[in-house]
Amino acid sequence: MQRGPAGLGFLSSWLNVGISILAAAFLLWLLVLFGKWAFWDSAWSDAGADPCGGASGACWAVIGARYRLILFGLYPYEEQWRSLVACLVVVAMVAASCVPRLWRAKWLIGIWISGFTVFIVLMQGGVFGLSEVTTERWGGLSLTLFIYTATIIIGMPLSVLLAIMRCSDDRVLRFLAGVVVDFIRSIPLLAVVFGAAIFAPFVLPGWLNTDNVYRVILGFALFFAAYQSTILQAGIQSVGLGQGEAARALGLTPSQGWWLVILPQAFRKALPATINQLVSTFKDTSVLVIVGLFELMASAKVAIQTGKWSDYYIEVYVFVALIYFAVSYSLTRYGAYLEARMRVGQD
């Protein structure tokens, strides 16, 4: 048999063809089984005492019955429209930030400050006639989105600062940034979150003891910044010393050289790893369940703790997995779009 073209190695020999056919048949068999379970033998409506009328497939009625708890957690039932609008505000804020025409510092800062203000006003209430809802009752998807976006907003500038310090000519700054980054990177995320939520109130002065949600966000942001700073440091080092010297030769100040010349190129070179870090951070929000925050995974767990729906945990976790997949895939595709756009700019 002639060797196939490049990229078709699975057809390069009779053995590879046989293995490929078996693998394809196995995947097709799994796909049929999943389709039978998810669609053909499934039940979509609640049949009362017997939730799905003895259906042998999936019981999607559990999603219809428990979606409010999954998406909004313990937020007051009659006020859940506020949580929904807050989620839409975050989505709109992120979508607006992805529009190239709005890539100006003042525009982006304005979008994120106004978006976060609207989000907190809606969720917290206490003004404009909205009843107050404390953070202990925030939960579900809205809490996950809030923690994630707040982590990125705080962690990204901090990572830039740490990366610049580690690339600085000042030995003291390099040493301090190195100690901070290496110390945080040596601790598991679970320990950082646990320390921020449980131990911080015992060691911090009273005026620094904020709400549990905000303490966790600060810990999470610090963890994100430590890893992201190493990514940016690699990007900065790949730019080369000549760029900084060229900026100084053009009369730019050191801060202008960093802001206008080095950092844009460093971010472009570090984009694939940055997108990977953003996706990983979103998935890592699921660990917050250990400190009692009612985020998306915790809400899903509670949704199946009633006797009537306890047997349908697979359907609930499939629903939650689809939410994580939608967000992660959107981030990945946007990263691919940015890479393609910047590659065109380079050409």
Side-chain angles (χ1 to χ4, degrees), residues 79-104:
E79 302 288 340
Q80 287 178 354
W81 65 270
R82 289 163 48 183
S83 186
L84 174 61
V85 175
C87 288
L88 295 177
V89 167
V90 171
V91 172
M93 185 172 65
V94 174
S97 303
C98 296
V99 178
R101 289 186 179 181
L102 299 178
W103 288 349
R104 301 286 186 277

Side-chain angles (χ1 to χ4, degrees), residues 281-324:
T281 301
F282 180 73
K283 293 186 292 186
D284 285 345
T285 57
S286 60
V287 306
L288 300 180
V289 65
I290 68 162
V291 292
L293 294 185
F294 216 72
E295 48 75 55
L296 190 56
M297 285 298 293
S299 300
K301 185 178 179 182
V302 172
I304 54 177
Q305 283 184 343
T306 58
K308 183 179 178 180
W309 300 111
S310 59
D311 293 335
Y312 304 104
Y313 57 90
I314 295 178
E315 290 84 344
V316 170
Y317 285 126
V318 168
F319 178 68
V320 172
L322 288 175
I323 295 175
Y324 277 101

Side-chain angles (χ1 to χ4, degrees), residues 93 112-113 116 148-158 221 224:
M93 185 172 65
W112 282 85
I113 290 178
F116 251 75
Y148 177 67
T149 51
T151 297
I152 302 303
I153 288 175
I154 298 172
M156 190 60 80
L158 188 57
F224 170 81

Side-chain angles (χ1 to χ4, degrees), residues 168-243:
S168 169
D169 294 331
D170 191 315
R171 297 177 60 182
V172 176
L173 292 180
R174 283 206 311 272
F175 174 75
L176 291 176
V179 168
V180 171
V181 171
D182 292 341
F183 176 72
I184 296 174
R185 291 182 65 199
S186 66
I187 305 174
L189 175 60
L190 284 175
V192 174
V193 171
F194 201 74
I198 306 300
F199 296 115
F202 296 103
V203 296
L204 292 177
W207 60 276
L208 277 180
N209 263 330
T210 60
D211 188 275
N212 191 31
V213 171
Y214 298 111
R215 286 200 308 274
V216 169
I217 288 174
L218 288 176
F220 214 164
L222 204 57
F223 189 84
F224 170 81
Y227 278 86
Q228 180 61 23
S229 68
T230 59
I231 295 172
L232 290 178
Q233 182 186 358
I236 291 171
Q237 290 172 341
S238 67
V239 170
L241 296 175
Q243 296 293 317

Side-chain angles (χ1 to χ4, degrees), residues 38-39 42-46 52 58-61:
F39 300 105
S42 63
W44 294 81
S45 58
D46 186 355
C52 290
C59 177
W60 298 117

Side-chain angles (χ1 to χ4, degrees), residues 228-274:
Q228 180 61 23
S229 68
T230 59
I231 295 172
L232 290 178
Q233 182 186 358
I236 291 171
Q237 290 172 341
S238 67
V239 170
L241 296 175
Q243 296 293 317
E245 294 170 355
R248 286 194 292 274
L250 291 173
L252 298 179
T253 63
S255 59
Q256 288 175 327
W258 277 105
W259 183 255
L260 298 176
V261 178
I262 299 175
L263 284 179
Q265 296 182 73
F267 266 102
R268 182 168 59 192
K269 292 179 180 295
L271 183 61
T274 298

